[in-house]
Amino acid sequence: MKIDQATLHRVRLPLKHSFQTSSHRKAHLEHVLVRLVDADGVEGWGEIASGSDPYYAPDTTDTSWLIATRYLLPAVLGHEVDHPSEVAALHGKVRGHRFAAAGVDMAAWALWTRRRGEPLARALGGVRDTVVAGVSLGIEPTIDDLLAQVQRHVDAGYPRVKLKIAPGWDVEPVEQVRAAFPELDLHVDANGAYLDDPDHLAVLRALDRFGLTMIEQPFAPRALLPSAALQAAIDTPVCLDESVDTLDDLRTAIALGAGRVLNIKVSRMGGLTTAVAAHDLARDAGWPVWCGGMHEFGVGRIANVALSSLPGFTLPSDVSASDKYYERDVVVPPLTADRGVVTVPTAPGLGVEVDTDFVLAAGEQTFRTRAG
């Protein structure tokens, strides 16, 4: 395929329920949708799901927009490729900026599979018709508010709940949730908020008694040695997220024993191409994987569903229904879940259509370019 045209849409959607992590609270999401069109007029969509602020990763909406418009799109336009995995090499001189690269990579996969009349999941190596979804819940004003949120999603059928934690909001809320839901698949995510000091280590070790599925990213991204020491000291698996941006990061983490589970995020790893390779590497090492989310709109969320259909994704992934987050999504039909189970689309490409009228109405900025 030869990519002839590219369009970026900067779109802002309000969240139905504000979401707080250890670093910040957000009430809306502003992502960039990528539309690539080949010389035959076939289109594919991707999503740049970087945050508005550099709290999860260095990438932001502004930096991703700059990198995509100035470097990535000019590098890929007008070039002939036989497979979407070749697109990354076209802009390989650009270091970092994986969120922007992920949006372009995703759009290339969507375009290529649509051209071939093949579902994205099958092209990636998916083996399932459905995937199990979990939900991620932020830090709430009170424990009662948190318990109400957990109950709402358990009632909706979601079998796994992830709780955001931070110093001062950890053992007590987890203890209360576990007491109220003794059989629930429960795990916690610190987003790197804890330090390698005696007080914080005591808190993390205290969480070991609650039968958690995992403790996700307890320490800062590069703090693999403390993560390995914690994993050796507790029974609960440590899951790595921000620590693994590249395949080399994953190889290092495996060699150190810095965890036992991997959260694969398409955006963090630079696209579907690297995400599939990370799945293969983790599976060979005996690490189960699951697909984390960045509160993606429907484009990125559907791509996550397709990825989650691969055989190594044995844990519930953050692919909950669109209506958990948004009153209206950018794709038709929106993603739905039946008692926590999501059907993998079988139509060519992403398997859904982008609601372009709504995208234009919700858009705050548009950029168009073409080859030549």
Side-chain angles (χ1 to χ4, degrees):
M1 65 183 179
K2 185 177 182 181
I3 299 171
D4 183 61
Q5 302 174 48
T7 306
L8 301 182
H9 298 279
R10 186 167 177 158
V11 178
R12 177 179 174 135
L13 294 183
L15 286 167
K16 293 173 70 172
H17 183 79
S18 61
F19 191 87
Q20 182 169 336
T21 69
S22 59
S23 61
H24 67 294
R25 177 173 287 275
K26 49 192 174 185
H28 69 272
L29 272 297
E30 189 177 52
H31 289 172
V32 176
L33 298 180
V34 181
R35 177 177 178 261
L36 299 181
V37 182
D38 72 4
D40 297 320
V42 181
E43 70 175 15
W45 288 80
E47 181 170 342
I48 300 173
S50 44
S52 299
D53 303 298
Y55 298 139
Y56 171 81
D59 310 61
T60 69
T61 312
D62 290 331
T63 62
S64 293
W65 183 274
L66 172 66
I67 294 299
T69 56
R70 185 175 297 181
Y71 298 103
L72 304 188
L73 296 182
V76 304
L77 285 171
H79 288 275
E80 190 87 32
V81 295
D82 294 323
H83 191 271
S85 62
E86 300 170 19
V87 169
L90 297 176
H91 55 74
K93 293 181 180 180
V94 178
R95 295 191 177 187
H97 301 285
R98 280 173 284 274
F99 280 71
V104 175
D105 178 88
M106 188 186 302
W109 274 95
L111 170 57
W112 185 73
T113 51
R114 190 159 189 166
R115 278 183 60 91
R116 289 164 57 91
E118 182 178 16
L120 176 61
R122 184 192 303 163
L124 294 174
V127 297
R128 300 187 186 93
D129 298 326
T130 60
V131 298
V132 178
V135 293
S136 177
L137 302 183
I139 295 171
E140 294 290 338
T142 69
I143 290 177
D144 285 342
D145 291 328
L146 176 63
L147 289 169
Q149 286 295 317
V150 175
Q151 186 67 63
R152 182 166 73 89
H153 290 94
V154 169
D155 290 344
Y158 288 104
R160 185 270 280 165
V161 172
K162 177 172 81 171
L163 307 179
K164 295 290 186 179
I165 61 170
W169 179 269
D170 37 46
V171 175
E172 185 178 1
V174 173
E175 185 173 31
Q176 293 295 322
V177 171
R178 175 52 82 207
F181 303 92
E183 304 301 323
L184 180 64
D185 181 350
L186 184 67
H187 90 251
V188 298
D189 180 13
N191 290 112
Y194 291 83
L195 302 175
D196 183 20
D197 68 27
D199 291 339
H200 283 190
L201 290 172
V203 169
L204 294 170
R205 285 195 293 266
L207 294 173
D208 202 26
R209 70 178 189 267
F210 296 121
L212 302 174
T213 307
M214 66 190 80
I215 298 174
E216 185 179 352
Q217 199 62 47
F219 303 111
R222 305 279 75 84
L224 290 176
L225 293 178
S227 187
L230 177 66
Q231 183 63 94
I234 63 175
D235 293 326
T236 305
V238 171
C239 172
L240 297 183
D241 177 1
E242 291 96 321
S243 289
V244 179
D245 289 338
T246 68
L247 297 178
D248 284 334
D249 290 337
L250 180 55
R251 293 185 185 98
T252 301
I254 292 169
L256 290 174
R260 297 207 301 262
V261 177
L262 177 64
N263 173 354
I264 296 180
K265 286 181 179 172
V266 175
S267 295
R268 189 191 75 238
M269 302 208 72
L272 290 165
T273 301
T274 307
V276 171
H279 158 275
D280 296 345
L281 180 57
R283 186 175 59 163
D284 290 345
W287 285 35
V289 301
W290 58 283
C291 183
M294 295 298 300
H295 290 136
E296 287 92 347
F297 303 162
V299 172
R301 193 168 294 267
I302 290 292
N304 288 346
V305 169
L307 181 69
S308 300
S309 70
L310 271 66
F313 286 85
T314 56
L315 298 167
S317 292
D318 282 343
V319 290
S320 48
S322 299
D323 63 5
K324 178 188 183 304
Y325 298 108
Y326 306 109
E327 292 289 349
R328 181 173 176 180
D329 205 346
V330 299
V331 296
V332 181
L335 188 69
T336 59
D338 181 10
R339 306 298 298 172
V341 176
V342 176
T343 299
V344 179
T346 56
L350 291 176
V352 296
E353 296 298 322
V354 174
D355 187 343
T356 52
D357 289 339
F358 178 60
V359 167
L360 290 172
E364 299 197 333
Q365 191 176 5
T366 298
F367 172 85
R368 292 184 175 87
T369 185
R370 66 184 307 152

